[in-house]
Amino acid sequence: MAKKPMDDLLKRRMSATQQASELQATDEAYAKLFWEAPPAANVRICALPLGKLSSFFTADIGFKPYTPSQLRAFADQLQEEGLMVRDHCAAHSRDRLL
């Protein structure tokens, strides 16, 4: 009679260990996908004549090439002020208090 409760206890323990391992692997995969910055790609800058760009519009986006003077003003502003990046911080579920 004592063997059956011990077998059940060991089975529950093995199941809990496996579930914890799967949860940890899932957490690590989620963190890798959504929290870590992607590796830096090689940047290649090339000249593209503005005449090669053409306007287009779809249901949810549109594109209209800027004039050379607008592009120069934008480049000057970036040079002067830098690029502003929105900082988004979100609490991770394991960081929350229960």
Side-chain angles (χ1 to χ4, degrees), residues 1-95:
M1 196 87 167
K3 184 175 176 154
K4 176 113 173 93
M6 182 59 83
D7 285 346
D8 289 342
L9 178 67
L10 290 173
K11 284 181 184 177
R12 286 196 310 265
R13 182 176 176 199
M14 283 180 23
S15 177
T17 302
Q18 182 180 3
Q19 288 175 354
S21 174
E22 290 170 357
L23 183 61
Q24 182 179 4
T26 303
D27 285 349
E28 289 170 0
Y30 182 88
K32 186 152 194 78
L33 284 172
F34 298 108
W35 287 356
E36 293 180 11
N42 292 335
V43 176
R44 193 181 110 201
I45 298 175
C46 58
L48 179 66
L50 291 178
K52 294 266 185 189
L53 301 175
S54 57
S55 300
F56 70 89
F57 295 93
T58 65
D60 54 352
I61 63 168
F63 171 74
K64 182 179 179 223
Y66 290 104
T67 65
S69 62
Q70 289 172 318
L71 289 173
R72 174 54 44 211
F74 180 59
D76 292 342
Q77 179 185 1
L78 283 177
Q79 184 72 31
E80 191 176 304
E81 299 176 14
L83 183 63
M84 301 223 179
V85 178
R86 181 176 173 209
D87 188 17
H88 178 71
C89 298
H92 188 270
S93 61
R94 65 178 166 216
D95 295 336

